[in-house]
Amino acid sequence: MGQHIASAEPADASARRSGRGPRWWLVRGALLVALGLMVLALASQWNDVRDSFRLLTVGSVVASGVATILAVGTTVLSWRALLAGLGAELPLRAAVRIFFVGQIGKYIPGSVWPVLAQMELSRDYGISRPKAASASLVVLALAVPSGGLAAAITLPFVSADALASYWWALAAVPVFAVLLYPSVLSRLLALAFRLLRRAPLDEPLTLRPIAVGAGWLLVSFCWYGLATWLLVRDLDPEVGGGRLMLLSVGAYALAWTAGFLVLVVPAGAGVREAVLVLALAPAVAGGPATLVALVARLLATVADLVWAGVGVALRGRGARRTEAGMETDPRPGASAGERTADQLPDTATRR
């Protein structure tokens, strides 16, 4: 196995080293643009909330920020589970680097840039583009039924008006659920790769990794709900206790789902805030609810930046690339075949 990989790899690796092709430059240029847009978004979001920030306590904002960072961080576990279901297991720190550095691309309008970036970054760890793209697309698609489910089981008891106004977001849930059923999903992915003239996946997704991925996304929405609750409780809400927690989880889940479905704006900007304000109406008036929505957006952007920074910092601690473009194992005396086989869990699929 090691000898086969070592002999088959250099031609492809040498080509990648010598040219770094247009896709390499396109993705990294897009990430730089997205980083600039993220910084501009942070500045704009801070200007929107700084005059009203005094209505919130420092402790609640810090705690909400920590919960938001945990919410964003949990999503990588969903992506990693789906990738493992495709037969490509990654160490957690490698998954964090690939996923969150790539996620910067979502600040460019449209949803294609994070996927392209994650595809390109995954190749550094021997993951084929089709597998990386499949995991990224499925985790995006899974967010809709996961968010819709979280909203459907909470909001009917606390914010029925929000469901009546944004029913179309929940109407998408059964559609996505059908599309994500393993047999249907396998056919869709096979068709997509055939149209792109790419080899099909050699290991289709089964129900278990899809269910695990959805489970991690539900955990993420619970963290987001906790982050929202920590802000709302500072504003003398008209409801409290468990009802306020249910409202916070459902309101954020509905707002995120609606924002995601509107693809023409980056990261659902504007749509998510409008839905969150309406969904929180049973607890707080429009003005305070708008403050919560804007601060939640600001904290989510900060969390994206934090995790992107973590991903960049982890690069030096992961596998290194040789001059031939192959990953190296720092163990003294390891042979070329051993180093490649150990460090590249999916090298044989790279084209």
Side-chain angles (χ1 to χ4, degrees):
M1 175 73 175
Q3 292 178 349
H4 170 73
I5 296 174
S7 62
E9 181 67 12
D12 174 69
S14 178
R16 287 192 297 128
R17 184 189 72 242
S18 61
R20 282 190 168 176
R23 180 180 289 163
W24 192 96
W25 292 106
L26 175 65
V27 169
R28 281 155 178 81
L31 286 177
L32 287 175
V33 171
L35 181 61
L37 292 174
M38 180 191 289
V39 173
L40 290 176
L42 276 174
S44 174
Q45 291 160 15
W46 171 246
N47 288 334
D48 289 340
V49 302
R50 63 181 177 182
D51 293 336
S52 303
F53 217 66
R54 56 184 176 78
L55 298 175
L56 302 170
T57 63
V58 173
S60 291
V61 173
V62 171
S64 181
V66 171
T68 303
I69 289 173
L70 291 172
V72 173
T74 304
T75 58
V76 73
L77 300 177
S78 178
W79 183 77
R80 185 172 177 240
L82 291 165
L83 198 58
L86 291 168
E89 296 189 13
L90 275 176
L92 181 58
R93 65 186 184 188
V96 167
R97 177 175 181 258
I98 294 167
F99 186 77
F100 287 118
V101 173
Q103 280 292 92
I104 299 174
K106 72 182 184 180
Y107 287 88
I108 299 176
S111 300
V112 66
W113 293 106
V115 177
L116 289 177
Q118 287 156 2
M119 286 167 58
E120 188 66 33
L121 293 169
S122 292
R123 295 190 72 205
D124 293 343
Y125 292 85
I127 307 299
S128 67
R129 285 191 179 112
K131 288 188 177 183
S134 297
S136 297
L137 291 172
V138 173
V139 79
L140 285 172
L142 266 180
V144 174
S146 299
L149 179 61
I153 63 179
T154 55
L155 288 184
F157 305 102
V158 286
S159 187
D161 288 344
L163 289 181
S165 298
Y166 289 95
W167 60 268
W168 49 268
L170 295 189
V173 171
V175 176
F176 275 78
V178 170
L179 295 178
L180 289 165
Y181 190 74
S183 59
V184 178
L185 179 62
S186 295
R187 291 188 180 94
L188 290 175
L189 290 175
L191 175 61
F193 290 132
R194 187 160 60 248
L195 293 175
L196 294 172
R197 297 181 180 179
R198 293 276 182 178
L201 294 171
D202 53 7
E203 188 169 344
L205 275 171
T206 61
L207 187 59
R208 185 178 183 278
I210 293 174
V212 172
W216 281 120
L217 291 177
L218 284 171
V219 172
S220 178
F221 280 117
C222 289
W223 280 118
Y224 277 124
L226 175 62
T228 305
W229 174 79
L230 287 165
L231 297 175
V232 174
R233 68 173 187 166
D234 268 359
L235 301 173
D236 297 321
E238 296 182 15
V239 298
R243 190 180 177 201
L244 183 60
M245 179 60 78
L246 286 176
L247 177 65
S248 299
V249 172
Y252 195 96
L254 180 65
W256 194 98
T257 304
F260 174 82
L261 290 172
V262 182
L263 299 176
V264 295
V265 293
V271 177
R272 190 184 303 176
E273 286 75 17
V275 179
L276 189 57
V277 168
L278 177 61
L280 290 174
V284 290
T290 300
L291 174 63
V292 170
L294 293 175
V295 172
R297 165 70 70 172
L298 174 64
L299 293 178
T301 306
V302 170
D304 285 337
L305 187 59
V306 167
W307 280 111
V310 170
V312 171
L314 287 175
R315 179 178 183 178
R317 299 178 59 191
R320 296 191 299 265
R321 192 192 297 259
T322 67
E323 289 185 359
M326 297 164 59
E327 303 295 330
T328 64
D329 189 334
R331 295 176 301 171
S335 68
E338 289 173 338
R339 290 195 298 264
T340 307
D342 288 346
Q343 294 296 322
L344 298 183
D346 194 39
T347 306
T349 66
R350 188 157 58 185
R351 297 287 181 266

